[in-house]
């Protein structure tokens, strides 16, 4: 079942001005419930703009975005509220989305309280403790501030805050781009584990194929505002058709000895365990 249907989506910035730019150019695709769709392309190809239109942060210039069969740009206030609970976004740099003046426990509590999910303080504290465990953070981190952590730990805080809202969909905009490769693998493994536990649907945005090829069921390749190729991850990795995809692959180590093993693990027990390189 398709959770999202994107039909002929176009987004033009600065329309009618000298610096007019078509960031998304007549793009159509779907995201199935429970899948990870990778969205890959070079910087400036329009990936973030797609992410922001899918979460209703940006309005399309034309085209439709259907979520569970309904056009999100026709939502009434109540529908928008429930949509904003269902669909959450995580970003490349958690520091920009986490308030540096707030302790981790307050950051997570804010996520819980946004939709008034848990009324009592005890229940909230228990939920914070569970979320810290879930993302692999020590309970003592509750009283620390985001700037006291490494990049990978900060991304864990950001994921805990996102999970606090109990979303159905996570749009992850380059969530590992600024991390060391071994930490990237840990965060990708964490996201894969969480997907299985909470039956989440992911749009996973990345500028190259190096990690996204493991976690994605399907991959859409973007170039200059258009999707030039969309296929199962293995097909994109092994038999890309479009020259742009072939070029993107040139920056990924080939042959990759762990590829088969990691993909097999995904298909056999639906759990991904990438070895840190
Ligand atoms: P990506 O995420 O692939 O790096 P973006 O979606 O951020 O690409 O950007 C696509 C294009 O749209 C780029 O040329 C970018 O400069 C432009 N763009 C993005 N956001 C805005 C904006 N708010 N105003 C004007 N141009 C924008």
């Amino acid at each position: 079942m398709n959770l999202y249907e994107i039909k002929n989506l176009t987004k033009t910035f600065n329309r009618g001005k000298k610096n007019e730019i078509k960031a998304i150019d007549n793009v159509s695709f779907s995201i199935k419930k429970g899948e990870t769709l990778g969205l890959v392309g070079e910087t400036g190809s329009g990936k973030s703009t797609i992410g922001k239109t899918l979460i209703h942060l940006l309005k399309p210039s034309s085209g439709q975005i259907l979520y569970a069969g309904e056009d999100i740009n026709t939502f009434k206030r109540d529908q928008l509220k429930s949509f904003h609970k269902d669909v959450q976004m995580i970003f490349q740099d958690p520091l920009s989305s986490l308030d540096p003046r707030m302790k981790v426990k307050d950051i997570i509590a804010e996520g819980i309280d946004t939709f008034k999910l848990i009324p009592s303080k005890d229940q909230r504290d228990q939920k914070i403790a569970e979320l810290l465990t879930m993302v692999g953070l020590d309970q003592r981190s509750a009283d620390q501030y985001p700037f006291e952590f490494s990049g990978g730990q900060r991304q864990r805080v950001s994921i805990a805050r996102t999970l606090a809202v109990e979303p159905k969909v996570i749009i992850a905009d380059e969530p590992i781009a600024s991390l060391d490769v071994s930490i990237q693998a840990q965060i990708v493994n964490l996201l894969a584990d969480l997907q299985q536990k909470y039956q989440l649907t992911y749009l996973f945005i990345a500028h190259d194929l190096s990690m996204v090829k493991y976690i994605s069921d399907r991959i859409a390749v973007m170039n200059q505002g258009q999707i030039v190729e969309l296929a199962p991850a293995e097909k994109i990795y092994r038999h890309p058709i479009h020259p742009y995809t072939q070029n993107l692959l040139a920056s990924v180590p080939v042959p990759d000895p762990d590829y088969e093993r990691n993909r097999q693990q995904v298909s056999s027990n639906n759990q991904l365990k990438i070895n840190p390189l």
Side-chain angles (χ1 to χ4, degrees), residues 2-17:
N2 288 337
L3 191 54
Y4 265 108
E5 290 259 12
I6 290 88
K7 296 183 180 175
N8 305 107
L9 183 68
T10 295
K11 177 69 188 174
T12 307
F13 290 109
N14 308 319
R15 199 201 294 253
K17 296 187 184 151

Side-chain angles (χ1 to χ4, degrees), residues 139-181:
Q139 293 302 321
R140 279 171 301 181
S141 20
D143 283 305
Q144 292 182 271
Y145 293 90
F147 60 80
E148 295 181 70
F149 293 117
S150 66
Q153 285 172 315
R154 273 204 292 272
Q155 199 51 282
R156 288 175 193 270
V157 174
S158 163
I159 293 169
R161 192 201 179 280
T162 302
L163 289 178
V165 181
E166 299 185 359
K168 294 184 177 151
V169 182
I170 295 182
I171 296 177
D173 191 355
E174 305 249 16
I176 55 172
S178 59
L179 306 175
D180 291 345
V181 174

Side-chain angles (χ1 to χ4, degrees), residues 35-179:
E35 83 166 334
T36 296
L37 179 69
L39 184 61
V40 180
E42 285 167 305
T43 301
S45 56
K47 308 179 299 296
S48 286
T49 305
I50 288 202
K52 287 174 189 161
T53 54
L54 261 55
I55 200 170
H56 201 267
L57 270 176
L58 283 175
K59 216 171 161 6
S61 304
S62 61
Q64 276 190 317
I65 299 168
L66 306 183
Y67 175 76
E70 292 204 60
D71 187 337
I72 66 170
N73 289 294
T74 63
F75 278 171
K76 304 267 181 316
R77 187 190 290 224
D78 277 1
Q79 285 172 299
L80 257 188
K81 196 174 171 196
S82 120
F83 174 75
H84 281 142
K85 177 184 172 319
D86 274 11
V87 184
Q88 293 287 309
M89 199 154 178
I90 53 178
F91 299 92
Q92 173 174 345
D93 177 12
L95 266 190
S96 62
S97 57
L98 301 174
D99 187 337
R101 296 160 303 176
M102 287 169 76
K103 287 185 174 173
V104 165
K105 64 181 176 194
D106 298 323
I107 289 170
I108 298 175
E110 192 186 54
I112 294 170
D113 291 346
T114 308
F115 295 96
K116 300 197 170 35
L117 299 171
I118 293 174
S120 90
K121 182 177 179 314
D122 282 355
Q123 281 176 304
R124 189 192 293 119
D125 288 348
Q126 194 186 333
K127 178 90 181 172
I128 291 169
E130 278 169 20
L131 285 165
L132 287 175
T133 305
M134 189 56 64
V135 299
L137 284 173
D138 197 283
Q139 293 302 321
R140 279 171 301 181
S141 20
D143 283 305
Q144 292 182 271
Y145 293 90
F147 60 80
E148 295 181 70
F149 293 117
S150 66
Q153 285 172 315
R154 273 204 292 272
Q155 199 51 282
R156 288 175 193 270
V157 174
S158 163
I159 293 169
R161 192 201 179 280
T162 302
L163 289 178
V165 181
E166 299 185 359
K168 294 184 177 151
V169 182
I170 295 182
I171 296 177
D173 191 355
E174 305 249 16
I176 55 172
S178 59
L179 306 175

